[in-house]
């Protein structure tokens, strides 16, 4: 599975203002280099996951950016109702016990004096999330 270079800009923090969870497709230089990801925000904490249910390997949402359950406490797979906690582990559904692939994402302050920057906070991809 392709992953963009460390520090790749995904979006501004403002992009998650209206919806706490959104999907994004990141593309590389070739048609094969693309990845569908989910960003899930709670306060200043941003979590990143590959947008692929471990059950049938489909994207979680059928409708764009409808990724959370009604209580907005878990990611929801619209195909079979699987629910995933903030660590990406499935606790309800056909893939119970499996997990989404985690991405290491970071919130970075840009500075107005940097080329192309507007002095905002952006979210970048830093690779796969490493567990201890």
């Amino acid at each position: 599975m392709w992953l963009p270079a460390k520090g790749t800009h995904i979006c501004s923090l403002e992009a998650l203002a209206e919806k706490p969870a959104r999907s994004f497709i990141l593309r590389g230089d070739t048609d094969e280099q693309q990845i569908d990801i989910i960003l899930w925000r709670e306060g200043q904490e941003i979590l990143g996951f590959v947008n692929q249910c471990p059950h049938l390997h489909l994207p979680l949402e059928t409708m764009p950016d409808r990724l959370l359950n009604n209580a907005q406490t878990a990611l929801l797979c619209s195909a079979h109702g699987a629910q995933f906690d903030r660590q990406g582990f499935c606790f309800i559904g056909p893939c119970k016990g499996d997990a989404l692939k985690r991405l290491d994402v970071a919130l970075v302050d840009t500075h107005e004096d940097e080329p192309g920057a507007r002095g905002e906070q952006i979210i970048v991809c830093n690779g796969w999330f490493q567990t201890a």
Side-chain angles (χ1 to χ4, degrees):
M1 182 178 293
W2 175 81
L3 193 63
K6 183 176 182 176
T8 297
H9 178 177
I10 301 170
C11 67
S12 69
L13 181 61
E14 193 175 286
L16 298 177
E18 290 185 29
K19 293 188 177 191
R22 289 191 55 200
S23 64
F24 298 87
I25 296 177
L26 304 180
R27 291 182 170 84
D29 296 330
T30 68
D31 290 341
E32 294 81 30
Q33 292 180 329
Q34 75 173 31
I35 188 169
D36 189 352
I37 68 166
I38 296 167
L39 294 179
W40 186 6
R41 175 184 181 183
E42 187 171 297
Q44 289 294 102
E45 182 183 26
I46 309 293
L47 301 170
F49 302 95
V50 174
N51 188 5
Q52 185 179 68
C53 181
H55 178 224
L56 292 177
H57 308 289
L58 300 170
L60 294 187
E61 82 274 38
T62 303
M63 301 298 288
D65 298 327
R66 295 198 56 184
L67 292 158
L68 297 176
N69 63 5
N70 288 338
Q72 299 206 356
T73 57
L75 292 169
L76 175 67
C77 179
S78 61
H80 294 102
Q83 293 189 42
F84 301 86
D85 66 18
R86 291 191 56 78
Q87 299 306 310
F89 292 103
C90 181
F91 62 94
I92 294 174
C95 52
K96 186 175 180 178
D98 288 337
L100 300 171
K101 290 184 177 96
R102 287 265 320 260
L103 296 173
D104 180 14
V105 296
L107 190 58
V108 176
D109 290 320
T110 62
H111 302 285
E112 291 183 14
D113 58 343
E114 293 175 1
R118 299 185 317 211
E120 63 183 349
Q121 291 185 303
I122 63 169
I123 302 165
V124 298
C125 182
N126 285 329
W128 298 112
F129 183 79
Q130 300 296 317
T131 56

